[in-house]
Amino acid sequence: MASCVSGCSPVVRFCQKLNRLKTLEDDMMATSLKRCLSTVDLALLGVGGMVGSGLYVLTGTVAKDTAGPAVVVSFIIAGVASLMAALCYAEFGARVPKTGSAYMFTYVSVGEIWAFLIGWNVILEYMIGGAAVARAWSGYLDSIFNHRIQNFTESHVMRWDVPFIANYPDLLAAAILLVASFFISFGVRVSSWLNHIFSAVSMAVIVFILVFGFVLADPVNWSSREGGFAPFGLSGILAGTATCFYAFVGFDVIAASSEEASNPQRAVPAATAISLGLAATAYVLVSTVLTLMVPWHTLDPNSALSDAFYRRGYSWAGFIVAVGSICAMNTVLLSNLFSLPRIVYAMAEDGLFFSVFSRVNPVTKVPVIAILVFGSLMSILALIFDLEALVQFLSIGTLLAYTFVAASIIVLRFQPDKSSGSSGGGGIKTNASSTSSVNQSGQPVDPSVGTNETQTFAPDGGELKEYESFSDKLQLVERQKSVKERGAPGTLKACWEPYLGRIVGGCEPGGVVAFSVLALMVSGVCLCAVLVFGNDQLNLPVWSFTLLLVIFSLVFLLSLALIWVHEQQPNHKTFQVPLVPFVPGFSILLNVFLMLKLSPLTWIRFAVWLAAGLLVYFGYGIWHSKEGLREKQGQEVAARYVVLPSGSLVETVQNVQPEGHTLSTHSPTHDNAPASR
């Protein structure tokens, strides 16, 4: 048995290394960046990230091909669905006001390798998204000048016919990305004011479209003569919802900017709600105006708004719409270029990515190297690649990030406190040090003594857990017989003790919740797979299809119920998602469903990019992780106390030798030392 444990210990240590959590400093407001963004600044950043070219293109496309005038309902449902994910980001952004968005949130609650993979995919998402918007920007401007820019480039510069490569180098798209990167490197204030200007023009154009459009509205276009309000039925509305959901992607820029917010605890939730409300209102009203101005089946998907005004005899309004479209795309471009370097900076600051990207300019207080390098890479993508085949790849990174953030909310809310010295960050591992107040005999000791001691406690399962002081370990040993404190986070609620106490009442606090979250995600994936592939690809008979739906639905709902019957973290001063775990749980289900709707080619590209990320992590990140360095420093201790599963207490004394020498250990076993006193 002992040989089996010793043989498995390297594997256990390796898994623990992959799943280690980020330790946050006590003062989470401390930063090398500049805290200067207000609620209005953050809200406009969020609006700029969401209300882009989709308002001018997506509304017409979904109305004509998918939902008809019922695109209005599709946008309402998509807005509510996006709200579930946005609330999760808002809680994390207020509770952990650090840059990094989904990467940071996953790191403090799930584990290191998962955080790296989320960050790695978000990097690609922002790069492709920025390059795609830049190409759309140049294409829209080129169409205003009757494609003269494209014709000149193909005639006098270059033209090639290669798969996945554009027919000509888009010099205009590359130039706008380089110019935008240059301005953003001047600091967060310059970026914010540029976003304010473009957002103001864009919103002024939207107001013009709404006012003038409602004047030209004709209710007959929603009548049965033109096909009715919902010509494609409920299935068309739901299909349109899946497409419209991507229109609200971009609110995560608010959480990514929380480290530069003056008062993130209040500003991040308020800005998230304001920006999502404004974006949803704009999409719903513009789609209403568009489908009332002209019959939905006659819309031009490429330039629906401009074409609608032109057909009503107001061609001059098309120019105003074009100006608004370009300004809206500028805000999305700034949002991508603003968020991407901060994700890279957060990963580099933690040691998981190349340290050169963690350098902050002392004058501008922004990671200039990260901005310029990744802005240049984005411009190269926009210059040479035909991104139409890669646009769908944008979705998978976003949806995966949404899924992990929602799961992280559940895990964090039901986690026991990691440190008694944490102020208001229950469940988050902080750098607060515990000090011992009594020794094994119950006598008081000097708090300065024993801070270099690491204690290891082994529960019934045999897993070893380390603590900062010997007294902390003794307190946990004393609690082992009673299993838990009444009302502690992650423990069973008192009202459910008579019914579930014998089944799950004896588990470690937070253990049942962690298992239930895993069951929730697995059953959610299986349920969505049956819904998406059951009838077509798998050709399941009706009885089998129904049985699988019932089984996986029950497992999903039971997992939610099992999480709900446990105690949550007490209310904090910061914003909290309501109805946990139900809101994050259904957000996970929606995100997984949308991911499985993506094409197989998207999943193949995703797997390739994931493999490249694993090479970077195992080749660099795992060796330079600051959490790993902190663990190595903690191993250089004078003594270690171990409580074995059998209940005996072992003191292991380690002589700290210079690097390269072997540590000698002396382990007298105190068989008479009880596990609880």
Side-chain angles (χ1 to χ4, degrees), residues 7-19:
C8 295
S9 59
V11 178
V12 173
R13 285 197 298 269
F14 180 71
C15 292
Q16 289 174 341
K17 184 182 294 187
L18 296 181
N19 290 282

Side-chain angles (χ1 to χ4, degrees), residues 171-191:
L171 300 175
L172 188 60
I176 188 60
L177 283 168
L178 291 176
V179 171
S181 301
F182 175 74
F183 278 109
I184 287 177
S185 65
F186 278 100
V188 65
R189 263 294 161 213
V190 175
S191 307

Side-chain angles (χ1 to χ4, degrees), residues 571-625:
N571 289 329
H572 297 284
K573 295 180 180 179
T574 58
F575 170 80
Q576 287 191 310
V577 179
L579 299 176
V580 172
F582 300 105
V583 168
F586 286 109
S587 178
I588 291 172
L589 191 65
L590 174 65
N591 297 330
V592 171
F593 177 80
L594 292 176
M595 277 194 285
L596 293 181
K597 295 284 284 183
L598 299 175
S599 67
L601 187 59
T602 298
W603 282 95
I604 293 173
R605 294 178 185 130
F606 173 71
V608 172
W609 181 251
L610 215 60
L614 290 173
L615 288 177
V616 174
Y617 176 74
F618 288 111
Y620 181 89
I622 196 171
W623 307 107
H624 296 82
S625 168

Side-chain angles (χ1 to χ4, degrees), residues 39-59:
T39 303
V40 175
D41 296 329
L42 292 175
L44 288 178
L45 278 172
V47 171
M50 287 183 280
V51 182
S53 56
L55 186 73
Y56 299 89
V57 178
L58 190 64
T59 49

Side-chain angles (χ1 to χ4, degrees), residues 26-31 35 97-98 258-259 261-265:
D26 276 347
D27 184 10
M28 285 192 282
M29 293 295 288
T31 177
R35 289 195 178 274
K98 295 291 183 181
S258 60
E259 193 166 338
S262 301
N263 184 6
Q265 284 76 17

Side-chain angles (χ1 to χ4, degrees), residues 131 192 305 325 334 346 479 501 635:
S192 179
L305 284 169
S325 178
L334 288 172
R479 267 189 244 145
Q635 290 173 358

Side-chain angles (χ1 to χ4, degrees), residues 485-554:
E485 290 182 342
R486 178 74 64 184
T491 60
L492 196 62
K493 291 178 179 178
C495 60
W496 292 99
E497 283 280 0
Y499 309 102
L500 300 174
R502 291 187 177 183
I503 303 174
V504 298
C507 298
E508 182 183 353
V512 176
V513 173
F515 175 80
S516 299
V517 171
L518 179 62
L520 180 81
M521 298 191 72
V522 172
S523 60
V525 171
C526 295
L527 176 61
C528 294
V530 172
L531 287 171
V532 174
F533 306 117
N535 286 329
D536 298 330
Q537 285 85 348
L538 299 179
N539 293 319
L540 294 175
V542 176
W543 68 267
S544 176
F545 178 80
T546 305
L547 180 63
L548 290 175
L549 281 183
V550 171
I551 291 174
F552 292 131
S553 298
L554 285 176

